[in-house]
Amino acid sequence: MFILSWFFGFLAAVGRSFTALLAAIGRISFFMATAVSHVFRPPLYPRELGQQLLQIGYFSLPVVGLTAIFTGGALALQIYSGGSRFNAESVVPSIVAIGMVRELGPVLGGLMVAGRVSSSIAAEMGTMRVTEQIDALTTLSTNPIKYLVVPRLLAATLAMPVLVFIGDTLGILGGYLVGTQRLGFNAAAYLKNTWDFLEAEDIVSSLTKAAVFGFIVALMGCYHGYNSGRGAQGVGRATINAVVSASVLILAANYMLTEVFFSS
Amino acid sequence: MIEITDLHKSFGPKVVLNGVNLSIAKGESMVIIGGSGTGKSVLIKCIIGLVKPDSGLIMVNGKDATKGDRDEFLEQFGMLFQGGALFDSLSVWQNVAFRLLRGPHKRSKEEAREIAIEKLRRVGLRPDVADLFPAELSGGMQKRVGLARAIAANPAIIFFDEPTTGLDPIMSGVINELVREIVVEMGATAMTITHDMSSVRAIADKVAMIHNGVVQWTGPIGEMDNSGDPYLDQFINARAEGPIEAVR
Ligand SMILES: Nc1ncnc2c1ncn2[C@@H]1O[C@H](COP(=O)(O)OP(=O)(O)OP(=O)(O)O)[C@@H](O)[C@H]1O
Ligand SMILES: [Mg+2]
């Protein structure tokens, strides 16, 4: 009897969280659809877009660049020591290139930008919500979705591919440096190996992933900030939710995009 | 001009507005008074559409405020928020000129800046604050910048949520006079929330007192002192004893 009531209680709890999840997905989808529909309707705010490109794109360069270069270097070391077990040290350049471009460049870049940008967007917009600045925008005949959300979504979606492209390149450079300076690869051979192995599809998939991840980062920051609860606590929670949901969604989207690009 | 009929609004179990009826004529200065937390701010946010009422009708200029073109509707309004709500990423003059720099009636940057500086002067702020950022101002200065922003585009209807809170007595006097001027000279319709009884007497044509979710008393300012309403008497005479309980 006790077991039974415990079991039903458990079922009810699972059901509740499942409906809550569905409701959240519904709200986010609606928010996304509204925001995207505003991208195509004037007025646009080019000044705000420029500012966000600077904030999201340019100022994320050091983080993404450093992440990529160290990862590329570490990858080269790993592949070398792993490959030496079956005399396959020569695959280092190609695996570094593929690994960086297809997976690590976009995913690690996306996660780093999620930490940096989702949080700052959520905190900024959450503060604006709490101090009634978003309401004030409305009373000044300015649609807050257009003025705040659209520039951030566009900027992140446009800037991420550029960031990730630079990250991919620096990652390969990291591998190259370790390969030639520490592991005794011939410089020209390393480059040729890298270059011969990479295909256009690898780069396209990398940049597509980057654009999608950029969109996710900005969307999560905006959604949680825009709907922030009251007070400093509300803003804090919005920031956490933005970073966590952006990171998880990036990893999930990465799996799905990888299926789409490479499963056949 | 503004007709509110049987307005209801609750937040969860908490009933805030419980059947508010109020009408404000064109060119009139209405002052809303009432205890802290009685729903005065919520009332004006309902009118301007920032808070969605549960039920009731709000007519502005003979049109249902919740229907029709939002942009056209909002264009007639200026609003000073209780907390100022200045955009902290923009400088003071860009805050004041926000509306002048955007939208269908966009002005040139120079013209907008000039108007902003003129409005700042009217709220008692010198031109050199124009290039500061909101975070660099005192609370009372921020409030006045908010006020300048609310009146920058010469709106037909202006809402002031506690315009003189946090100001020194002289500045309060200046702001009271300004609100009066806006109504008399510009012919605007004003709705002011205030706790400051000297402001009430300086600004109001009519007074409405909100209590327990309804308009407890409303009438011309001249009748306020002899209303015979025990709630209003207790409120305007600042007495601790009376029908309004001090702990709510
Ligand atoms: N967004 C909201 N969510 C939940 N409750 C709210 C919200 N906005 C207002 N309230 C509640 O509604 C009530 C009325 O709030 P309101 O801000 O209108 O008070 P007020 O009359 O303006 O008070 P004051 O004179 O202190 O400014 C308060 O109890 C407040 O807690
Ligand atoms: Mg209030």
Side-chain angles (χ1 to χ4, degrees):
Chain A
M1 209 49 230
F2 172 75
I3 299 281
L4 209 62
S5 76
W6 179 86
F7 180 68
F8 281 120
F10 175 74
L11 268 191
V14 170
R16 260 198 306 278
S17 19
F18 187 65
T19 21
L21 179 70
L22 285 185
I25 291 174
R27 279 195 301 272
I28 293 175
S29 311
F30 182 72
F31 185 82
M32 181 175 84
T34 314
V36 170
S37 78
H38 277 290
V39 172
F40 302 102
R41 277 183 285 162
L44 284 175
Y45 295 99
R47 254 179 61 98
E48 274 62 37
L49 178 62
Q51 260 168 17
Q52 292 306 322
L53 279 173
L54 200 68
Q55 277 295 329
I56 296 173
Y58 187 70
F59 291 131
S60 297
L61 257 177
V63 184
V64 173
L66 285 173
T67 308
I69 206 163
F70 284 122
T71 308
L75 193 59
L77 285 179
Q78 290 282 13
I79 303 295
Y80 188 80
S81 77
S84 68
R85 289 180 202 160
F86 34 90
N87 296 323
E89 294 94 335
S90 61
V91 296
V92 168
S94 43
I95 302 243
V96 166
I98 295 260
M100 275 319 294
V101 171
R102 284 191 179 188
E103 275 299 311
L104 294 173
V107 171
L108 290 182
L111 291 178
M112 295 311 279
V113 173
R116 210 191 85 87
V117 173
S118 283
S119 55
S120 93
I121 293 180
E124 187 184 5
M125 290 196 28
T127 307
M128 292 187 77
R129 163 64 70 202
V130 169
T131 57
E132 299 183 311
Q133 292 178 50
I134 292 185
D135 286 339
L137 275 176
T138 307
T139 67
L140 292 165
S141 306
T142 301
N143 186 324
I145 300 276
K146 253 191 194 347
Y147 184 77
L148 297 173
V149 177
V150 168
R152 285 168 174 77
L153 277 182
L154 273 180
T157 313
L158 294 174
M160 255 322 254
V162 179
L163 279 174
V164 164
F165 186 80
I166 296 171
D168 290 349
T169 314
L170 288 176
I172 292 174
L173 175 72
Y176 168 85
L177 289 177
V178 170
T180 53
Q181 304 301 313
R182 287 264 288 110
L183 308 174
F185 278 84
N186 173 284
Y190 191 105
L191 282 184
K192 183 168 164 23
N193 234 327
T194 302
W195 195 242
D196 285 350
F197 212 80
L198 270 183
E199 284 175 16
E201 196 191 18
D202 300 326
I203 313 236
V204 171
S205 82
S206 186
L207 301 187
T208 311
K209 282 181 174 181
V212 172
F213 298 168
F215 183 82
I216 289 174
V217 161
L219 183 71
M220 287 301 109
C222 289
Y223 172 79
H224 290 288
Y226 193 83
N227 296 300
S228 162
R230 318 184 93 194
Q233 219 179 11
V235 178
R237 202 168 308 123
T239 310
I240 296 175
N241 288 342
V243 176
V244 171
S245 59
S247 307
V248 172
L249 280 176
I250 283 175
L251 295 172
N254 178 57
Y255 176 75
M256 287 189 260
L257 286 170
T258 308
E259 279 278 1
V260 170
F261 272 101
F262 301 111
S263 68
S264 55
Chain B
M1 189 102 192
I2 303 176
E3 290 278 345
I4 301 162
T5 320
D6 202 25
L7 193 68
H8 289 259
K9 177 69 196 177
S10 307
F11 293 100
K14 188 179 168 65
V15 180
V16 178
L17 303 179
N18 195 15
V20 168
N21 293 293
L22 193 64
S23 86
I24 301 152
K26 188 168 162 45
E28 193 171 77
S29 171
M30 169 67 84
V31 171
I32 312 282
I33 56 176
S36 191
T38 48
K40 303 180 297 297
S41 298
V42 169
L43 174 64
I44 58 172
K45 284 183 192 166
C46 282
I47 302 175
I48 205 165
L50 292 173
V51 171
K52 199 173 171 315
D54 299 332
S55 68
L57 187 63
I58 300 166
M59 303 286 279
V60 174
N61 267 333
K63 285 186 224 153
D64 189 336
T66 55
K67 302 201 174 76
D69 186 36
R70 275 296 275 168
D71 285 341
E72 202 180 298
F73 174 78
L74 286 168
E75 215 150 80
Q76 1 169 31
F77 284 96
M79 173 151 176
L80 165 66
F81 284 81
Q82 188 166 355
L86 300 179
F87 305 126
D88 34 35
S89 59
L90 299 178
S91 68
V92 164
W93 84 263
Q94 284 172 324
N95 262 283
V96 175
F98 192 88
R99 192 175 221 144
L100 307 172
L101 291 166
R102 291 166 182 81
H105 309 297
K106 190 173 163 170
R107 326 267 180 113
S108 74
K109 212 168 162 182
E110 293 71 37
E111 198 185 346
R113 190 185 155 95
E114 226 164 76
I115 298 174
I117 287 178
E118 160 62 17
K119 299 289 175 186
L120 285 171
R121 194 192 55 74
R122 291 195 69 175
V123 296
L125 290 171
R126 281 209 300 254
D128 48 338
V129 303
D131 292 307
L132 298 178
F133 280 84
E136 299 169 305
L137 304 180
S138 76
M141 288 163 89
Q142 291 181 10
K143 194 98 203 202
R144 285 182 280 155
V145 174
L147 194 64
R149 184 176 71 184
I151 61 173
N154 299 333
I157 307 169
I158 315 187
F159 292 159
F160 300 114
D161 199 342
E162 307 199 2
T164 56
T165 313
L167 302 187
D168 64 68
I170 300 172
M171 220 14 99
S172 295
V174 171
I175 298 304
N176 289 340
E177 238 168 71
L178 174 69
V179 174
R180 203 58 235 170
E181 262 172 48
I182 288 167
V183 173
V184 174
E185 284 170 23
M186 289 164 42
T189 307
M191 206 163 155
T192 311
I193 296 172
T194 184
H195 290 296
D196 175 357
M197 288 318 291
S198 64
S199 274
V200 176
R201 293 177 202 283
I203 295 175
D205 294 323
K206 276 194 176 166
V207 179
M209 179 178 170
I210 309 265
H211 184 66
N212 263 340
V214 297
V215 174
Q216 173 70 30
W217 182 86
T218 182
I221 178 77
E223 291 170 19
M224 186 172 73
D225 290 313
N226 310 308
S227 64
D229 186 300
Y231 293 87
L232 183 65
D233 280 344
Q234 183 191 352
F235 194 86
I236 60 178
N237 297 312
R239 281 195 296 262
E241 295 85 31
I244 306 175
E245 285 168 36
V247 179
R248 272 165 275 165

